[in-house]
Amino acid sequence: MSLLAIGTVAFDALETPFGKTDKIIGGACTYIALSASYFTKPVNIVAVVGDDFPDESIQLLREHGVDTEGLQIKAGEKSFFWSGRYHNDMNTRDTLVTDLNVLATFDPIIPDAYQNCEYLMLGNLTPQVQLTTLERLRTRPKLVVMDTMNFWMEIALDDLKRVLQKVDVLSINDEEARQLSGEYALRKTARKIMGMGPKTLIIKKGEHGALLFQGDEVFFAPALPLEEVFDPTGAGDTFAGGFIGYLAATDDTSFENMKRALIYGSAMASFCVEKFGTERLLNLTKEEIDARVQQFVRLAGFTV
Ligand code: AMP
């Protein structure tokens, strides 16, 4: 089923306890698209970069089945830039720099070929752009999943709440969920956020897994204990790409299937953190992904 993703396509500079990178390719949409491409193709994207963004990176996306007709390249402007530093636990980080650059004036234009998309991933970027994208689609997608982060809660909360009213699933981390709801206990947090619009809520807990809420139902996906965690950047977006990619490929939005999608998303995120940036997402095989999903099945499976 057709999948459209929006979000940032960006330069990132990262610092983790294991090393530092200068500007590398990142952005929410980049991670979402690469991850989803292992489940469904093409992945259509609507995003913006400056003319400092390398052609080879756009080519790389194309080679992974990402359709870049909706990627605008703005002459004379700079791409979105984000820099972050991870703490020793690798679960928390500080944002050092957010330079919106080309994102500040982004007008999301949806190519005709992307209209009628059935699955829409509103990846992390300006809430107003998320809203405009939804409004510009002639028919409402079957499923709309949204991601966001504390940065937007701080500067654009009203817009963010407007988008929330229109989405089916929200995926955020525990700290952001608490910030958005003003509640600490996750059950209460979830109920409050679901009252803001999304019928389904995913609360990501980094190396401690993810929770899926819908009505009174709750499901937990663990995170795989890994030998090596190099760089958590993009794990949340990679998770979201795997989640919606799996749902689009199976074209089943039931809660039971969302549970499976949560595991596939978690499996994709577990690959992402093993190397810096997008590196680990570039050469995965279906066999590797299936084998990792089986590790999740063994990790959490038990009988009573
Ligand atoms: P994650 O680790 O999944 O939260 O995503 C990290 C990615 O999000 C990086 O590649 C950044 O380029 C991108 N990013 C960071 N801050 C923002 C923001 N305020 N809006 C959109 N994307 C962002």
Side-chain angles (χ1 to χ4, degrees), residues 121-124 130 145-148 170-172 204 236-237:
M121 180 69 225
L122 296 175
N124 189 16
Q130 294 178 318
V145 180
M146 173 189 177
D147 189 3
T148 188
L170 174 69
S171 168
I172 46 175
K204 297 168 287 180
D237 309 308

Side-chain angles (χ1 to χ4, degrees), residues 28-157:
C29 190
T30 309
Y31 285 100
I32 291 166
L34 287 171
S35 177
S37 74
Y38 287 95
F39 301 92
T40 183
K41 283 181 185 157
V43 179
N44 295 331
I45 62 168
V46 167
V48 66
V49 289
D51 59 8
D52 55 352
F53 201 76
D55 285 343
E56 309 86 74
S57 300
I58 298 175
Q59 194 48 41
L60 197 74
L61 288 173
R62 290 200 189 111
E63 282 161 19
H64 280 81
V66 180
D67 186 303
T68 57
E69 190 192 340
L71 178 67
Q72 301 174 30
I73 303 169
K74 294 282 176 195
E77 291 191 49
K78 282 180 163 174
S79 303
F80 178 83
F81 172 71
W82 176 79
S83 163
R85 184 192 293 135
Y86 289 86
H87 303 165
N88 279 338
D89 68 0
M90 296 287 258
N91 231 13
T92 49
R93 72 182 175 203
D94 295 324
T95 287
L96 304 177
V97 182
T98 303
D99 283 339
L100 295 179
N101 297 330
V102 81
L103 192 68
T105 54
F106 180 38
D107 182 30
I109 295 163
I110 300 165
D112 267 349
Y114 295 3
Q115 287 289 347
N116 305 319
C117 81
E118 280 148 305
Y119 289 79
L120 174 64
M121 180 69 225
L122 296 175
N124 189 16
L125 86 180
T126 330
Q128 182 57 51
V129 172
Q130 294 178 318
L131 201 59
T132 307
T133 304
L134 259 177
E135 285 166 358
R136 287 185 179 167
L137 285 172
R138 281 179 222 126
T139 50
R140 202 220 184 249
K142 188 166 173 179
L143 189 81
V144 181
V145 180
M146 173 189 177
D147 189 3
T148 188
M149 74 187 268
N150 49 2
F151 181 83
W152 301 112
M153 290 176 199
E154 277 142 34
I155 67 166
L157 186 62

Side-chain angles (χ1 to χ4, degrees), residues 258-285:
M258 282 192 187
K259 291 182 185 176
R260 283 186 281 272
L262 199 77
I263 300 291
Y264 273 90
S266 304
M268 295 307 288
S270 77
F271 286 118
C272 176
V273 304
E274 288 178 340
K275 295 251 168 83
F276 265 106
T278 55
E279 197 184 334
R280 189 72 176 97
L281 296 180
L282 297 177
N283 295 302
L284 287 170
T285 62

Side-chain angles (χ1 to χ4, degrees), residues 244-260:
I244 199 165
Y246 180 80
L247 292 178
T250 51
D251 194 24
D252 173 356
T253 59
S254 66
F255 188 69
E256 279 309 305
N257 204 44
M258 282 192 187
K259 291 182 185 176
R260 283 186 281 272

